[in-house]
Amino acid sequence: VEEGRLYTQILQISATDLDCGKFGEICRYEITNNASPFQFNDQGWLRNTEPLNYEKSHSHILSVKAHDCGMKQSKEILVTVKVNKNCNGAIQGIPERVEYNGGSGRKLLAPLADVGLCG
């Protein structure tokens, strides 16, 4: 996911249960890590609850359990969410104004210029 954005559907997980009837249905998914900025809905879609910051964490590893409607829990699985740095491709360090005296020779116009590339 790209940093700084809120997503309602990052990925979807699903689980199956061999029980019959209602006890064979998956009713919810639970992230067991403490203080995780993510949440699953009942259909298994993962969303982030706050904008993610690449500098704070390049990825998040979530421990997830499924619960059937009888509240039996599955074993934990690990889900990794990679955070991509927000790309700001731009030229920086170019002065708004350059003073030049005629006949004074060569002058660098933007000696501190920097091009930020995405990719």
Side-chain angles (χ1 to χ4, degrees):
V1 298
E2 190 172 304
E3 73 174 336
R5 292 185 50 198
L6 287 174
Y7 291 86
T8 57
Q9 296 183 334
I10 295 172
L11 63 87
Q12 185 179 32
I13 62 171
S14 66
T16 55
D17 188 336
L18 298 178
D19 289 345
C20 295
K22 189 162 180 81
F23 293 126
E25 297 175 22
I26 303 300
C27 284
R28 71 182 185 97
Y29 298 91
E30 175 189 11
I31 298 171
T32 59
N33 305 48
N34 292 333
S36 171
F38 297 94
Q39 187 176 57
F40 278 100
N41 67 15
D42 292 343
Q43 290 76 43
W45 282 104
L46 180 69
R47 70 180 189 93
N48 55 318
T49 57
E50 62 187 57
L52 304 176
N53 183 325
Y54 178 84
E55 299 301 326
K56 190 174 176 182
S57 180
H58 297 353
S59 65
H60 296 267
I61 300 173
L62 310 176
S63 296
V64 180
K65 288 183 180 182
H67 295 260
D68 70 9
C69 294
M71 288 299 117
K72 288 186 181 176
Q73 300 178 15
S74 70
K75 293 181 181 178
E76 287 187 350
I77 63 164
L78 296 179
V79 174
T80 302
V81 178
K82 180 181 173 199
V83 180
N84 297 318
K85 189 172 186 175
N86 192 1
C87 180
N88 294 322
I91 300 174
Q92 300 174 344
I94 297 178
E96 289 184 28
R97 183 181 173 126
V98 176
E99 301 265 341
Y100 178 76
N101 295 325
S104 63
R106 295 177 125 188
K107 181 171 185 167
L108 293 175
L109 296 176
L112 301 176
D114 182 46
V115 178
L117 301 176
C118 300

